[in-house]
Amino acid sequence: MTDTPRFVLHHAPRSRSSRALWLLEEAGVPFEIAQHDFAKGTHKDPAYLALNPAGKVPALVDRGPAGDWSSPAVVTESAAICAYVADAVPEANLAPPVGSPERAAYATWIGYCPSVLEPALSDSVFPRREDPPASTLGWCPFPEALQRVEAALQSGGPYLLGARFSAADVLIGSLLQWLQAWGKLPENPTLAAYLSTLAARPASQRAQARDAEQSAA
């Protein structure tokens, strides 16, 4: 047993790594932040590329539950990090147990953000010169993608899994928060109520405060 925090998050403020920061705050476990500066290109340093060859943030280093793994594990991609931490820290109740009925919907929403919402948003904001055949895409148009989120919230709520908050809400919610701040989220009372619920969570507020501090540093 050591006093070394289990996790190290490679993070740049106001990026996709902010959702991993929020998730770690929700998990309630000790962690360190290795801050990156896009302007200085620290995410392209050889030492960091050895962790994440894509040269992007986030990347999460897991030193083990006691902080003493001789070969720490590395997880990249924000959706994978959120799912990994939720399973690695089961006492935080950020994911339904494997084998439970709720796990199916949870797994779907974990994949929905990077595989449907984000590419559909990119197509909406940066349209192609020519539309590719619909059969070649694994995602629907962005308005339809949002409608699925809205339908899930209307069928239960206040979270995607009904009364249960999960890592899926961090992924989907962080994207919607970013769209709202950017002025790209359509007026929608269901989504607005969802974002208000997420904004009231203490862990979300702590993460945003840390992000703001690091942005100002």
Side-chain angles (χ1 to χ4, degrees):
M1 187 77 176
T2 72
D3 294 329
T4 302
R6 174 172 184 174
F7 297 112
V8 180
L9 176 66
H10 288 264
H11 170 64
R14 306 187 190 284
S15 72
R16 282 181 178 84
S17 63
S18 294
R19 59 180 54 153
L21 174 60
W22 176 10
L23 194 283
L24 287 165
E25 289 286 355
E26 293 281 358
V29 293
F31 66 94
E32 296 177 2
I33 292 179
Q35 185 167 337
H36 287 270
D37 187 328
F38 290 148
K40 295 179 180 178
T42 60
H43 57 306
K44 302 299 183 182
D45 287 346
Y48 182 65
L49 292 176
L51 293 177
N52 185 358
K56 295 182 180 295
V57 294
L60 184 78
V61 177
D62 182 0
R63 296 166 168 153
D68 59 355
W69 282 355
S70 58
S71 297
V74 179
V75 189
T76 64
E77 307 304 326
S78 60
I81 289 170
C82 288
Y84 180 88
V85 172
D87 285 343
V89 190
E91 62 271 22
N93 293 315
L94 293 170
V98 174
S100 66
E102 296 81 10
R103 186 76 179 194
Y106 167 78
T108 297
W109 287 118
I110 286 289
Y112 193 73
C113 183
S115 63
V116 177
L117 274 176
E118 290 192 356
L121 173 62
S122 293
D123 280 351
S124 175
V125 176
F126 305 108
R128 307 165 192 256
R129 289 186 179 180
E130 297 182 6
D131 290 335
S135 61
T136 66
L137 300 180
W139 54 88
C140 58
F142 188 61
E144 293 180 28
L146 279 181
Q147 286 173 4
R148 184 169 177 182
V149 176
E150 179 185 13
L153 294 169
Q154 289 176 339
S155 68
Y159 302 114
L160 292 169
L161 301 184
R164 179 176 194 148
F165 176 83
S166 74
D169 292 296
V170 172
L171 285 170
I172 303 292
S174 62
L175 177 61
L176 298 183
Q177 287 174 339
W178 178 71
L179 286 173
Q180 186 182 57
W182 193 23
K184 297 293 185 181
L185 187 67
E187 296 255 343
N188 184 299
T190 300
L191 297 181
Y194 178 52
L195 290 176
S196 293
T197 299
L198 295 179
R201 294 187 65 84
S204 174
Q205 295 171 4
R206 290 195 302 270
Q208 291 187 6
R210 292 185 75 162
D211 232 11
E213 288 174 7
Q214 294 189 354
S215 294

